Amino acid sequence: MSTSTTPRPTLRRKVVALTVAGLGIAGLGLASAAQLNLTAGALGAGTTVVASCDSDGVAVAFTNAFAATAKGYTVTEVKLSGVAAGCAGQNVKVDLLNTDPTDGSTGASLGQVTATVGANGGTVTLAVPGSVKAADVKGVAVVIAS
């Protein structure tokens, strides 16, 4: 008399089916625990190609003045030079930062100034209102956009 040690195909199918069902029920339990109550809202998304109007970079320089009320030097102007003529008529935003943006740290803007690039590009001078201490400025962020 020979006995077979391999399970019958129907028994194997039942074990697989019960295992899959058990995993499905466990997954539903986890999914229901992670549900969020949401309200209707609006969402818009899109993509576009962004090309730089100045491919060789812009130089940044500062004009400083002593201010007795600030007990030291303050930044009075930011000058951007080497702005390409292709940027003519576009808006410039410069944020004076209290951290170095190249080291990956996050910081705060000490102030933002805006201007418009002239007809031929070249140099853009932005007046800095208030009293931003020169010693506090560790970096700048410059955006030229239409």
Side-chain angles (χ1 to χ4, degrees):
M1 177 191 244
S2 93
T3 58
S4 174
T5 58
T6 58
R8 293 183 296 190
T10 56
L11 179 61
R12 186 178 302 157
R13 286 184 192 148
K14 286 181 183 178
V15 170
V16 170
L18 288 173
T19 303
V20 169
L23 289 173
I25 291 171
L28 286 175
L30 290 174
S32 65
Q35 286 181 350
L36 298 174
N37 293 324
L38 303 175
T39 58
L43 174 65
T47 60
T48 187
V49 175
V50 178
S52 175
C53 63
D54 190 319
S55 61
D56 65 350
V58 175
V60 179
F62 301 96
T63 302
N64 302 307
F66 185 79
T69 56
K71 299 179 182 171
Y73 282 89
T74 61
V75 178
T76 58
E77 290 180 335
V78 177
K79 288 186 180 184
L80 306 177
S81 59
V83 179
C87 299
Q90 295 192 27
N91 298 318
V92 177
K93 288 184 185 179
V94 177
D95 275 290
L96 302 173
L97 306 174
N98 67 356
T99 58
D100 181 354
T102 62
D103 69 6
S105 61
T106 57
S109 174
L110 299 168
Q112 184 182 83
V113 291
T114 60
T116 302
V117 178
N120 298 319
T123 300
V124 179
T125 302
L126 301 100
V128 178
S131 58
V132 175
K133 291 185 177 184
D136 293 342
V137 177
K138 306 290 190 253
V140 295
V142 178
V143 175
I144 301 175
S146 55

